[in-house]
């Protein structure tokens, strides 16, 4: 009777104050005393651990649904991995093209600087060779047909 009182009244208060502590009316290491409190606890545990047939059916259906969802998600992950690999390849190709175009621009800048230097030399020599009163418009005139369209580099013409 004292054990039941302790289990029903004092243990809940101690559990609130010290959560996680095992507070029972028995001594540590001693077997549980048979009585109404221990048998009720055992019965309630057994009742909670054996699910009904409908609960089992619901759980089985949920397992099937979850399994199907996992399969769908795995498929989506593999598709996304393939897509990521394709985009990585595309990015590498674009980086390679960018590198090639940067090299072409560098070559064109060198060629442009060379042509500007030659033009300056021609202008300077033309100014030195001409009499003081004569005006020079351009040292070399190109035909109108050649000046109409944009000029393409040798590399671009060879790729056509």
């Amino acid at each position: 009777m004292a054990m039941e009182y302790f289990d029903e009244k004092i243990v809940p208060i101690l559990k609130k104050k010290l959560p996680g502590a095992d507070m029972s009316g028995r001594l540590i290491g001693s077997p549980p005393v048979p009585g109404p409190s221990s048998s009720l606890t055992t019965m309630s545990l057994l009742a909670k651990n054996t699910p009904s047939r409908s609960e089992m059916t619901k759980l089985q259906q949920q397992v099937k649904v979850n399994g199907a969802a996992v399969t769908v998600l795995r498929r989506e992950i593999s598709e996304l991995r393939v897509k990521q690999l394709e985009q990585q390849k595309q990015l590498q190709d674009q980086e390679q093209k960018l590198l090639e175009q940067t090299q072409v621009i560098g070559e064109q800048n060198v060629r442009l600087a060379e042509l500007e230097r030659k033009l300056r030399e021609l202008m300077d020599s033309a100014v030195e060779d001409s009499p003081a009163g004569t005006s020079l418009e351009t040292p070399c005139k190109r035909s109108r047909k050649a000046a109409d369209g944009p000029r393409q580099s040798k590399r671009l013409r060879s790729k056509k």
Side-chain angles (χ1 to χ4, degrees):
M1 184 123 160
M3 294 294 279
E4 291 173 6
Y5 177 80
F6 184 82
D7 285 341
E8 293 172 2
K9 302 290 182 182
I10 298 173
V11 170
I13 295 169
L14 290 176
K15 282 184 180 180
K16 288 179 186 175
K17 290 182 180 179
L18 300 169
D22 181 28
M23 301 290 168
S24 64
R26 59 181 185 265
L27 296 172
I28 298 174
S30 66
V33 179
S37 65
S38 63
S39 63
L40 283 176
T41 308
T42 306
M43 291 298 284
S44 64
L45 283 176
L46 287 175
K48 288 181 184 175
N49 286 338
T50 50
S52 66
R53 186 174 296 274
S54 64
E55 288 174 336
M56 287 297 290
T57 306
K58 287 179 185 178
L59 286 174
Q60 287 174 344
Q61 289 174 347
Q62 189 64 38
V63 166
K64 286 180 184 178
V65 168
N66 288 346
V70 167
T71 304
V72 168
L73 290 173
R74 283 185 180 153
R75 188 176 329 123
E76 286 179 10
I77 287 172
S78 66
E79 289 171 359
L80 289 173
R81 283 185 180 150
V82 168
K83 187 182 264 187
Q84 185 229 1
L85 290 174
E86 290 172 357
Q87 289 177 347
Q88 228 172 7
K89 174 75 170 113
Q90 185 180 14
L91 181 63
Q92 288 174 349
D93 292 345
Q94 289 175 348
E95 287 175 345
Q96 180 65 32
K97 286 179 183 179
L98 181 63
L99 180 64
E100 290 173 3
Q101 290 175 350
T102 303
Q103 289 173 345
V104 168
I105 289 172
E107 292 170 3
Q108 289 175 345
N109 285 340
V110 168
R111 177 77 173 134
L112 181 62
E114 181 184 331
L115 289 173
E116 286 175 348
R117 183 186 54 80
K118 285 182 181 180
L119 181 62
R120 237 180 281 117
E121 288 174 1
L122 281 174
M123 293 292 283
D124 291 343
S125 67
V127 170
E128 291 173 1
D129 293 343
S130 69
T134 313
S135 66
L136 278 178
E137 290 181 16
T138 58
C140 300
K141 288 189 178 181
R142 289 194 305 177
S143 68
R144 183 78 177 146
K145 199 177 218 183
D148 286 344
R151 186 164 181 215
Q152 294 181 343
S153 69
K154 290 178 186 176
R155 179 178 266 178
L156 291 175
R157 282 185 285 198
S158 65
K159 286 188 178 180
K160 286 186 177 180

